[in-house]
Amino acid sequence: MRTQVAIIGGGPAGLLLSQLLHKAGVASVVLERRSREYVLSRIRAGVLETGLVNLMHEAGIAERMDREGFIHDGTLIANGNDQFRIDFKELTGSHVMVYGQTEVTRDLYEARDAAGATVMHECSGVKPHDLTTDAPYVTFFHEGAVHRLDCDFIAGCDGFHGPCRQEIPLSVRREFEKVYPFGWLGVLSETPPVDNELIYSNSERGFALCSMRNANLSRYYIQCQLSDTPDDWTDDAFWDELRRRIPEEAADRLVTGPSIEKSIAPLRSFVCEPMQWGRMFLCGDAAHIVPPTGAKGLNTAASDVNYLWRALVAWYNDGERGGIDTYSETALARIWKAERFSWWMTTLLHRLPEQSEFDIRMQDADIAYLQHSTAAQTAMAENYVGLPY
Ligand code: FAD
Ligand code: DHB
């Protein structure tokens, strides 16, 4: 087989890149390890920055999002029973879109199907070769046979555990990591959201987040122990704990019901430098991870895709290689800012095992400063809605 861009990983980054390239007349093949059903059953992010929303328009897949997504002009921050609002619209003139990652992925698959694209599922042993030559290729197993895919470029969109990052030699690869000593227990339930905006809540018992997917689908998270498993938490125990961690007036309004999904995610900050090696480029979780506080995971994947897609199209259409040569540098400049923001929001709102009374006073002071300073709120809002590409 031969294509122009071989894309490893059929998550949101790989699919979006493939669709944008297709719109610009560049061919690609997507190789995904899992089945489509598996990819679509993963419940993950729910908040899209305007940059990603605009990319979805450029990719021609925004119709359902425009119809079913919800524009949020602000968010609520709580510290115990004290609650205040950050008004994104007033502070930045911008907003975010609440539309699930699962829905983005579904829309992308449908668009790729409609275009007759090659997206191969259940590929195993995927391995990139000859990255520092002009003729890289990928080998893999599919339906019992060994395949070879020749290409001009390889996009490593294979998530945190994928093989592409490991292809960058250790002599040039630097990895920066911070692991947080707690996780997030997430629950999805067919109940009306407790508020029409998200609530990020710091409490004596730990962090809680009230989010949503639509008028009758709520997504809630609570900070939990890393050693917890979803089975340790009955639905009743989850709802009781959530109620204790959000302001009383919200707890009184909370509508509970059976969970339809329950999972635990560890929290990690991670960046790999560089994000390119020869003719291979890393995008999204393959190159970096943020803790989920601040909803930057999917959005940073999208900003990488934005830079890479434009660089590849400039190469194919105009023979211009500047964007390709500087991809890693350009992408990382924005990534590090999103890393800082996610680390800051995580540190602001979670209880840490070793936290002293002084540390807690610092958190309280940081939240009080955010509550009363327009400058602090503007800084938070411009990061939350997404820094420009
Ligand atoms: P992925 O979505 O991980 O996609 C990578 C794809 O590559 C996968 O489909 C994988 O199967 C495939 N792949 C892996 N290895 C191979 C291989 N060897 N060969 C071929 N294919 C391979 N972000 C938020 O903003 N908010 C959240 O609430 C949130 N919750 C999350 C919960 C969990 C459990 C996880 C893991 C992440 C969460 N994130 C969240 C982060 C967000 O979902 C990711 O940042 C986003 O999915 C990144 O997209 P991606 O395409 O780069 O990676
Ligand atoms: C969601 C997840 C986040 O990490 C976040 O900061 C906001 C919303 C969500 O899944 O809805």
Side-chain angles (χ1 to χ4, degrees):
M1 294 163 74
R2 183 171 167 87
T3 190
Q4 290 176 301
V5 183
I7 300 177
I8 303 179
L15 293 170
L16 181 60
L17 178 64
S18 159
Q19 176 69 8
L20 286 164
L21 288 173
H22 161 75
K23 284 271 162 189
V26 179
S28 65
V29 167
V30 177
L31 306 176
E32 165 59 45
R33 185 168 60 113
R34 303 284 194 168
S35 67
R36 179 187 290 219
E37 294 67 39
Y38 181 94
V39 173
L40 286 173
S41 69
R42 293 189 294 219
I43 309 291
R44 289 180 169 183
V47 176
L48 316 187
E49 295 175 352
T50 318
L52 172 50
V53 168
N54 292 344
L55 280 181
M56 290 184 54
H57 279 271
E58 287 200 65
I61 55 150
E63 198 199 317
R64 197 161 68 94
M65 174 189 69
D66 286 342
R67 211 174 46 238
E68 297 178 10
F70 295 85
I71 287 177
H72 282 212
D73 288 330
T75 192
L76 300 165
I77 308 281
N79 193 15
N81 276 322
D82 216 8
Q83 182 173 289
F84 58 97
R85 181 167 184 266
I86 309 281
D87 190 327
F88 304 144
K89 194 174 174 189
E90 192 177 301
L91 294 160
T92 69
S94 192
H95 53 253
V96 291
M97 171 77 82
V98 169
Y99 189 65
Q101 175 170 335
T102 318
E103 307 309 319
V104 173
T105 311
R106 189 185 305 281
D107 296 342
L108 279 162
Y109 271 130
E110 281 173 13
R112 300 286 47 225
D113 286 348
T118 310
V119 181
M120 300 175 76
H121 284 276
E122 298 180 70
C123 299
S124 61
V126 176
K127 177 151 177 64
H129 301 266
D130 288 1
L131 300 175
T132 52
T133 72
D134 287 348
Y137 63 98
V138 184
T139 52
F140 57 99
F141 297 96
H142 187 248
E143 293 178 348
V146 182
H147 296 260
R148 172 178 166 141
L149 174 61
D150 287 285
C151 55
D152 302 326
F153 297 100
I154 296 173
C157 304
D158 49 346
F160 184 61
H161 300 287
C164 289
R165 185 173 71 247
Q166 315 301 334
E167 295 294 327
I168 305 180
L170 282 171
S171 56
V172 290
R173 179 163 32 113
R174 287 196 70 190
E175 296 186 344
F176 303 83
E177 184 171 48
K178 180 177 175 69
V179 177
Y180 300 83
F182 45 78
W184 274 23
L185 169 65
V187 157
L188 193 67
S189 72
E190 284 168 330
T191 49
V194 68
D195 201 283
N196 54 16
E197 291 187 338
L198 272 64
I199 308 176
Y200 287 90
S201 186
N202 185 344
S203 82
E204 279 176 10
R205 300 179 66 91
F207 172 78
L209 169 60
C210 307
S211 182
M212 65 201 71
R213 292 293 177 271
N214 61 47
N216 198 41
L217 194 56
S218 298
R219 181 69 167 161
Y220 296 104
Y221 300 93
I222 56 172
Q223 173 183 352
C224 66
Q225 306 270 355
L226 271 177
S227 54
D228 288 359
T229 67
D231 291 341
D232 295 336
W233 287 86
T234 62
D235 287 356
D236 284 345
F238 178 85
W239 294 122
D240 285 347
E241 189 57 35
L242 178 66
R243 263 193 222 97
R244 293 190 193 112
R245 295 189 189 190
I246 58 178
E248 265 168 40
E249 61 84 23
D252 291 344
R253 280 185 281 124
L254 182 71
V255 180
T256 63
S259 63
I260 55 171
E261 195 264 359
K262 198 185 277 164
S263 54
I264 291 185
L267 271 71
R268 181 196 305 270
S269 299
F270 174 88
V271 179
C272 166
E273 292 185 352
M275 285 174 58
Q276 68 191 95
W277 179 246
R279 287 187 167 233
M280 181 188 74
F281 305 91
L282 302 179
C283 281
D285 281 16
H288 43 75
I289 299 286
V290 287
T293 337
K296 291 291 169 232
L298 175 60
N299 290 303
T300 46
S303 74
D304 294 346
V305 167
N306 171 70
Y307 298 126
L308 184 56
W309 158 64
R310 291 185 198 284
L312 289 170
V313 170
W315 161 280
Y316 281 110
N317 290 353
D318 309 319
E320 160 71 49
R321 62 173 300 151
I324 282 180
D325 290 342
T326 56
Y327 167 72
S328 178
E329 204 182 307
T330 313
L332 282 168
R334 191 175 185 279
I335 290 308
W336 276 114
K337 291 177 193 142
E339 290 283 342
R340 185 208 66 83
F341 178 68
S342 307
W343 160 83
W344 170 76
M345 258 193 97
T346 302
T347 313
L348 185 73
L349 298 172
H350 290 75
R351 288 291 146 130
L352 289 128
E354 303 293 311
Q355 215 164 17
S356 67
E357 286 297 313
F358 179 84
D359 296 332
I360 292 172
R361 287 287 188 277
M362 287 297 97
Q363 254 185 354
D364 288 342
D366 211 346
I367 298 174
Y369 178 53
L370 183 62
Q371 181 169 7
H372 298 295
S373 159
T374 307
Q377 290 195 3
T378 306
M380 192 270 181
E382 80 170 344
N383 279 280
Y384 194 92
V385 300
L387 297 175
Y389 285 169

